[in-house]
Amino acid sequence: MTVEKLPDWVPASGVQLRLSGIHFDAIRVRGVRGEAVLHHLGDATGGRPGPVVREVAGGRWTYFLIPPGTSKEYTWPPGATCFGPCVRDLYVGIPAAHGNTYPLSWRCGAPVEGGFVDPDLLHEIVTAQLCTGP
């Protein structure tokens, strides 16, 4: 049996803030739009989109974690906020793999070492979702 290793930036318990652009970049999409992006991303990847953090309170944000430094290679449409090396001091809440992490959780399971959302595919889906009507 193979045990997949968690990245070192995933806390052992609770939730911790991690500076974007170091271990990952993140693209944040709000509410039902974020869920729609995740739905299409899941369909395109056979249900394995990569690490996605969901906030179940407040803005109900969805954070798509992509390889560090890659967010700057794209022009993200309005409604998608880039957390990466192009901006300063933006933190993302990262939940532990298990236990109480409210209001954050891993939407498709905790990440594995070296696993990320495909930035090309994410950009394509985010652009399609946010550049069309409601």
Side-chain angles (χ1 to χ4, degrees):
M1 180 167 120
T2 303
V3 177
E4 295 180 334
K5 184 178 182 321
L6 290 173
D8 61 1
W9 45 265
V10 174
S13 64
V15 174
Q16 290 186 352
L17 294 177
R18 299 290 190 224
L19 183 61
S20 62
I22 304 295
H23 302 288
F24 55 80
D25 289 0
I27 304 302
R28 182 180 77 174
V29 182
R30 187 176 189 147
V32 296
R33 291 289 180 126
E35 287 295 320
V37 169
L38 179 59
H39 173 78
H40 291 290
L41 190 62
D43 284 349
T45 61
R48 300 180 66 84
V52 178
V53 175
R54 179 178 178 212
E55 178 186 86
V56 296
R60 301 183 64 86
W61 299 104
T62 303
Y63 295 83
F64 301 89
L65 306 186
I66 60 178
T70 57
S71 62
K72 65 184 176 186
E73 298 173 19
Y74 304 90
T75 300
W76 298 95
T81 304
C82 173
F83 287 60
C86 297
V87 292
R88 254 182 85 95
D89 300 335
L90 288 179
Y91 290 83
V92 176
I94 299 296
H98 305 288
N100 183 5
T101 61
Y102 181 85
L104 302 176
S105 65
W106 291 108
R107 188 64 172 84
C108 300
V112 297
E113 184 70 40
F116 292 101
V117 172
D118 179 305
D120 290 327
L121 182 58
L122 178 64
H123 183 261
E124 179 182 322
I125 292 170
V126 165
T127 300
Q129 287 296 306
L130 298 181
C131 292
T132 61

